[in-house]
Amino acid sequence: MTLDISFSKAPYKNTEAAVICFYDDKESSPSVGSLNYEFKGFVDHVLEKSKSFKGKSGQIEILMLPEGSPYSYVVLLGCGKREDFTKIEAEKLGGKLLCALEAKKIESVEFYADNELSSCGALTAHIAVGLALRSYKFELYQSPKSDDEDDRIMLSLVHFVLFESDVASELYAVQACVNQGVFLARDLVNEPPNILYPDSYAKRIKEQLKPLGVEIEVLDEKKMRKLGMGAILAVGQGSDNPPRMVIMRWNGDKTSTDAPLAFVGKGVTFDTGGISLKPGAGMEDMKMDMGGSAAVVGLMKSLALREAKVNVVAIVGLAENMPSARAYRPADIITSYAGKTIEVLNTDAEGRLVLADALSYVQDIYKPSLIIDLATLTGAMLIALGHEYCGTFVTDDALWEQMERAGKASDEKLWRMPLDKVWKKDMEGTISDTQNMAKSGRWAGSCTAAGFLWHFIDDDTPWAHMDIAGTAWIKTDKDIAPKYGTGFGVRVLDRFVAENYEQS
Ligand code: BES
Ligand code: MG
Ligand code: ZN
């Protein structure tokens, strides 16, 4: 079921519920005045008498109206302090509202959004964005819960009523494209590994993006062998599902001859650890080890849907890390696409190997103006920053500033982590060029992983590495993201591209 979101200046009064929002001064919109009249003074009565509803941020009260009222329910929604009500807060509020409405099994609402006649278009659009993001569901594999009709009731229509409906509608239309990218990324992460493996994943990317005008090239293992991609091939060799590399090109700016932006994603469709096998408990979560690639694919969908005037190349390395008689071993020395040899000291440090080949290839073939990679690379990232911030390693201060700004604007928060030559050196080999485990041991595991990747980056290409191990997957709901795949990375990178690299 899809959620229909629309905006207009006048109410239709054909919905089940009316939502009215208040700041903590309890002042509401002029339109609520007339509604109050129709409700026979009920809203004023509630505001005056209720000791619980104060218009605090996120406060929601759903009241049933008497027969003969224009709606069955009135929903009072608190926006908190006027000066604190930012776009990000608006999105979170939208998410909270969605949950409250679904809990009450309300199917359609009219949202009176005119709190201030000026500047509420943007805030309203963001309430809608948050509401839509929270409404995401992954129920492909669930049989209907019961025969009870009521169990299947879902919110299907939200109509915003506001003076600046045109502003809101236009802004929302753009953000809805980004939401589609987020939903695709979430879907990919949530898919089980028996359904989503490198070959089926490559096909899914084609299905999703080709119709939108994204050029797709898939490298199978034969092509990769010819190209000398020994690192990703080693990771995938233990599996019956052979690896793939998928290259996506979005050429939205036909007038430009500038080098493209490059995005690279780790797509390990399941990470058992390989011969360096992971413990059984919690291993099922390792279906999310393709979260970096999912964000890259979601980003491409968002850019294509909103026809972004920018040229981008994206590449995802897809492999399944399995133990078997054919699997790569600790102590193997492999040769990467760049020609550098890597001694494998732990087959569970596989993401960096997949990325090494993807990073080298994208630089070699496309000479991009900058590279950003995303990967669920290290457990150490979770230890350092948990689920709230994404550790970001950047070679270039100007690039970091752009990313940090985009992170704040999208509420996909980034935290700069140190890139230090010490860790690059730490990943040099003793009998090979590099090795996939640090000589210094397990400390600063996210930083040494970044130090390894650095070996595969040209000196003059600005580069950022986002370790999304903590942010790609959550086990408890957030305001705008239900649990499991979050789609983290799509929103921040869409913002990053829109703010800094698009021709208007
Ligand atoms: N995919 C894991 C990292 C990971 C862990 C992502 C937890 C999300 C949640 C990665 O391939 C891995 O296994 N890393 C090892 C590296 C170690 C062997 C140097 C780790 O973090 O333990
Ligand atoms: Mg691993
Ligand atoms: Zn992994």
Side-chain angles (χ1 to χ4, degrees), residues 18-38:
V19 179
I20 316 174
C21 48
F22 301 86
Y23 286 114
D24 64 354
D25 54 14
K26 288 196 187 172
E27 197 179 302
S28 70
S29 79
S31 55
V32 170
S34 65
L35 202 63
N36 188 45
Y37 178 76
E38 288 181 58

Side-chain angles (χ1 to χ4, degrees), residues 188-204:
L188 292 169
V189 171
N190 290 336
E191 281 289 0
N194 59 328
I195 303 292
L196 200 84
Y197 45 87
D199 185 55
S200 65
Y201 192 176
K203 290 194 173 114
R204 182 84 73 100

Side-chain angles (χ1 to χ4, degrees), residues 266 268 271 278 286 289 321 348 350-351 376-377:
K266 167 181 174 180
V268 173
D271 183 11
K278 284 184 182 296
M286 281 301 120
D289 210 17
N321 189 19
D348 197 13
E350 85 299 337
T376 49
L377 204 62

